[in-house]
Amino acid sequence: MINILSIDGGGIRGVLPATILVEIEQRTNRPISSLFDLMAGTSTGGMLALALNKPGADGKPAFTAHDVLDIYVKHGEKIFPHSFFQSLSNPFGLFDEVYPSEGIESLLKEYFGDVPISKALTEELVTSYDVEGQQPWFFKSYRARLDPHYDYPMRLCARATSAAPTYFEPLQVMRGKESAALIDGGMFANNPGLCAFVEAKLMLARTAEGTRGIDEKPREIYQAESAVARDDDNRHIFMVSLGTGTLAAHIPFNKAKGWGVANWAKPIIDILMQGSSYTVDYQLQQLLPPTLAGQRGYYRFTAHINDTGVDSHMDNAKKENIDALLNMGKQVITQHDKEIDEVCKRLMQEAKK
């Protein structure tokens, strides 16, 4: 059995999945990394997954889920600093990225140091997109252990996966003499659950058939792992998927029909991310249905932002919005108390095997 944790992107709304993860740690009395065999994340979800997978000096997790939640609460405005003078020189991000990268990069350096992704406590998959090569780019702990050219620092992986266009500038990375310009993985996989599902199938195949070879060319990074034909179904995969809230904003036809590039620039990012999350959720419901005995293979926890007091914008890190996000997380836990209990019991049963 492979237990998967998948966490969506969503900027400061990462407070919501972080709150749920705190609850899971409290109910199981175990660190998140010990409950899952594979952790996948996009953008803020990638940062969460990496932080929970970072080893400390004693080999145990460097951070609890509560520690990671505190990063949002205490440092949200360092990631998304609002400057009056910047808004005058760069209104609405028309001439440059909305936020300088120094704030988020210094924070990632503080929390991750130079620990490489190969040292992740459990298998890790973090999404990004290479605009130079026009292809998905996956940071994988498995690949990093095989090939040092892919063994990037966790802080770099976190920076790449969260480089949302118009918010932060892309990140350039090198692999030998080849370069890539990486942006937020939410552009193609804001919900990384399906990417994680495929990675779990590869993990099962590696267990059954032995280790696969190493990618030779960076331009073939997502093509080298071909589909694996297998006789069994998906009963060996269990997934917990955490969203960052569905958006409250609606765009009526009469408003959108007259929009040009400037009007669509920011809404289109939200549309891409939300559309991706909905689609992957639907696909996973079909791929991981309950057994005839009623045992579920897939749980999805998120929330509707409407009428919760939460600002749907990914960059509102003001105290009142973070407080609203924390409250929304508590509401989700209350509403799904039975399901979270089921998840915790299932994870604990697998952990004891």
Side-chain angles (χ1 to χ4, degrees):
M1 178 65 69
I2 293 181
N3 294 331
I4 303 171
L5 173 64
S6 173
I7 314 174
D8 287 16
I12 199 64
R13 299 201 315 267
V15 167
L16 174 58
T19 302
I20 296 170
L21 290 169
V22 169
E23 185 70 15
I24 291 174
E25 277 198 347
Q26 289 176 345
R27 294 193 188 194
T28 62
N29 197 31
R30 294 187 64 136
I32 294 296
S33 61
S34 72
L35 296 170
F36 294 93
D37 305 294
L38 170 63
M39 293 167 63
T42 290
S43 193
T44 194
M47 294 171 66
L48 268 168
L50 287 161
L52 293 168
N53 249 340
K54 181 194 171 187
D58 57 0
K60 296 178 181 179
F63 308 113
T64 65
H66 195 277
D67 293 334
V68 178
L69 177 59
D70 271 352
I71 297 175
Y72 292 95
V73 175
K74 295 178 179 178
H75 302 293
E77 291 193 278
K78 186 173 182 179
I79 300 172
F80 300 111
H82 287 272
S83 165
F84 174 73
F85 295 105
Q86 184 184 18
S87 66
L88 290 178
S89 61
N90 183 32
F92 309 107
L94 292 176
F95 307 113
D96 200 353
E97 290 77 18
V98 176
Y99 300 106
S101 57
E102 289 81 6
I104 188 170
E105 288 177 357
S106 66
L107 189 67
L108 293 174
K109 177 69 175 177
E110 176 185 345
Y111 277 87
F112 288 105
D114 294 315
V115 175
I117 193 172
S118 63
K119 300 297 184 184
L121 292 170
T122 191
E123 293 297 339
E124 184 94 48
L125 184 153
V126 175
T127 68
S128 189
Y129 190 85
D130 174 18
V131 294
E132 277 192 31
Q134 289 297 310
Q135 65 178 5
W137 184 288
F138 299 106
F139 294 100
K140 298 183 181 182
S141 55
Y142 169 74
R143 180 185 286 123
R145 292 195 302 273
L146 292 179
D147 185 350
H149 287 111
Y150 282 113
D151 196 11
Y152 298 98
M154 283 185 167
R155 58 178 167 78
L156 184 148
C157 303
R159 171 70 174 85
T161 192
S162 57
T166 74
Y167 290 94
F168 296 106
E169 65 183 18
L171 181 73
Q172 184 180 44
V173 300
M174 303 297 296
R175 182 181 184 268
K177 295 182 180 180
E178 298 281 347
S179 71
L182 302 182
I183 64 171
D184 196 309
M187 296 300 97
F188 75 99
N190 194 57
N191 178 342
L194 204 55
C195 298
F197 173 83
V198 172
E199 185 66 15
K201 298 289 279 187
L202 290 168
M203 289 170 66
L204 288 167
R206 288 196 291 265
T207 300
E209 302 166 14
T211 302
R212 293 177 172 273
I214 302 172
D215 300 345
E216 295 297 330
K217 298 178 182 179
R219 297 303 177 220
E220 297 171 357
I221 190 168
Y222 68 100
Q223 297 171 333
E225 295 169 329
S226 57
V228 180
R230 297 186 60 79
D231 295 329
D232 56 9
D233 55 19
N234 300 323
R235 66 184 182 277
H236 300 301
I237 295 175
F238 175 67
M239 183 182 299
V240 178
S241 174
L242 303 180
T244 57
T246 54
L247 304 183
H250 301 286
I251 304 173
F253 170 76
N254 288 335
K255 183 178 181 181
K257 69 177 183 178
W259 279 3
V261 174
N263 297 108
W264 276 110
K266 204 161 186 179
I268 199 67
I269 294 176
D270 291 334
I271 292 167
L272 284 169
M273 289 182 170
Q274 179 146 311
S276 164
S277 293
Y278 274 133
T279 302
V280 170
D281 179 39
Y282 166 76
Q283 292 166 329
L284 288 168
Q285 288 181 49
Q286 310 309 311
L287 289 167
L288 297 170
T291 65
L292 293 175
Q295 187 177 55
R296 293 173 61 173
Y298 173 70
Y299 288 81
R300 170 79 170 168
F301 299 110
T302 189
H304 295 292
I305 294 177
N306 305 59
D307 304 319
T308 62
V310 170
D311 183 350
S312 64
H313 289 91
M314 297 188 296
D315 58 341
N316 186 345
K318 294 180 180 178
K319 183 181 183 303
E320 57 267 27
N321 194 50
I322 289 179
D323 288 343
L325 283 163
L326 290 167
N327 186 56
M328 186 172 72
K330 293 175 183 176
Q331 291 176 16
V332 171
I333 291 167
T334 300
Q335 292 166 3
H336 297 279
D337 179 71
K338 182 181 176 182
E339 291 173 290
I340 293 173
D341 245 2
E342 292 171 359
V343 164
C344 292
K345 288 176 182 176
R346 180 80 176 270
L347 292 172
M348 289 298 290
Q349 286 172 359
E350 295 297 328
K352 291 176 182 177
K353 292 181 179 178

